[in-house]
């Protein structure tokens, strides 16, 4: 049984508002706005809903997993809300960081320590992350771009680094 099945992970069908929010998230303004506000909004939403939903789920019908990694410098556990990309029966995550030129801290943490945990709607599973190979990463990118056009926009803006693509597998 893969991670997606273990978590009950699924993508709801997006409505017009959801599709519009997905497009907005890919714009420079939208990416800037969400990079500055989404973490705090998601913490608030997660608390109020007792872990049942997230802001991207409400606004864009994008299911969010909460990935907890170990800080590579601090050693402290850090949780990041991320859209999981279905990959077979596992999930993948992309280190796009809203199209910014620097990689997200969670991706660097996974490089240093691939053991992590993923939570979705109150179900938590220990995982190990591995960097996807080139062919596998290409397949994951194609899936991600079908999920939301924001990934295509982010990928186009990132010119000075490779985007880390991780496959999360249950331990």
């Amino acid at each position: 049984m893969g991670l997606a099945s273990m978590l009950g992970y699924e993508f709801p069908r997006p409505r017009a508002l959801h599709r519009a929010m997905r497009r907005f998230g890919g714009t420079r303004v939208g990416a800037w706005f969400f990079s500055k506000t989404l973490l705090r909004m998601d913490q608030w939403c997660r608390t109020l809903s007792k872990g049942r939903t997230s802001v991207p789920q409400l606004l864009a019908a994008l299911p969010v997993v909460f990935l907890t990694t170990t800080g590579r410098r601090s050693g402290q556990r850090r949780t990041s809300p991320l859209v999981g990309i279905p990959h077979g029966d596992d999930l993948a995550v992309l280190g796009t960081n809203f199209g910014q030129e620097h990689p997200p801290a969670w991706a660097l943490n996974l490089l240093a320590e691939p053991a992590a945990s993923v939570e979705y709607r109150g179900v938590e599973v220990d995982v190990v992350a591995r960097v996807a190979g080139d062919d596998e990463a290409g397949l994951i990118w194609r899936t991600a771009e079908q999920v939301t056009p924001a990934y295509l926009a982010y990928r186009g803006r990132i010119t000075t680094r490779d985007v880390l693509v991780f496959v999360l597998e249950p331990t």
Side-chain angles (χ1 to χ4, degrees):
M1 178 183 280
L3 181 61
S5 294
M6 294 171 82
L7 293 171
Y9 194 78
E10 61 187 7
F11 273 89
R13 186 176 178 155
R15 296 188 174 149
L17 172 64
H18 300 141
R19 290 188 299 273
M21 289 305 295
R22 289 178 184 189
R23 283 189 300 277
F24 174 67
T27 66
R28 287 189 186 276
V29 171
W32 176 86
F33 174 76
F34 288 125
S35 74
K36 303 296 183 205
T37 63
L38 190 56
L39 182 60
R40 296 277 188 245
M41 288 190 304
D42 242 1
Q43 289 169 338
W44 175 76
C45 185
R46 188 175 182 201
T47 299
L48 286 177
S49 71
K50 297 182 178 144
R52 289 186 306 270
T53 194
S54 65
V55 172
Q57 176 73 46
L58 295 172
L59 295 179
L62 291 171
V64 168
V65 296
F66 292 91
L67 177 69
T68 301
T69 61
T70 301
R72 66 193 182 287
R73 294 185 198 152
S74 68
Q76 295 181 355
R77 302 284 281 163
R78 306 278 186 202
T79 300
S80 302
L82 303 169
V83 175
I85 304 301
H87 181 61
D89 198 30
D90 288 317
L91 295 176
V93 288
L94 302 164
T96 58
N97 205 16
F98 296 97
Q100 297 178 53
E101 287 298 327
H102 59 279
W106 64 261
L108 300 174
N109 291 346
L110 283 180
L111 285 176
E113 174 53 64
S117 66
V118 174
E119 182 185 341
Y120 179 69
R121 293 187 177 168
V123 177
E124 189 170 351
V125 176
D126 290 331
V127 298
V128 65
R130 64 175 175 79
V131 176
D134 290 341
D135 291 341
E136 189 177 32
L139 179 61
I140 293 166
W141 272 109
R142 284 189 292 282
T143 303
E145 291 166 0
Q146 290 173 357
V147 167
T148 177
Y151 282 116
L152 184 61
Y154 297 160
R155 193 175 190 188
R157 287 199 293 269
I158 299 169
T159 59
T160 61
R161 68 176 175 95
D162 290 329
V163 175
L164 293 166
V165 178
F166 293 92
V167 176
L168 306 176
E169 299 170 333
T171 56

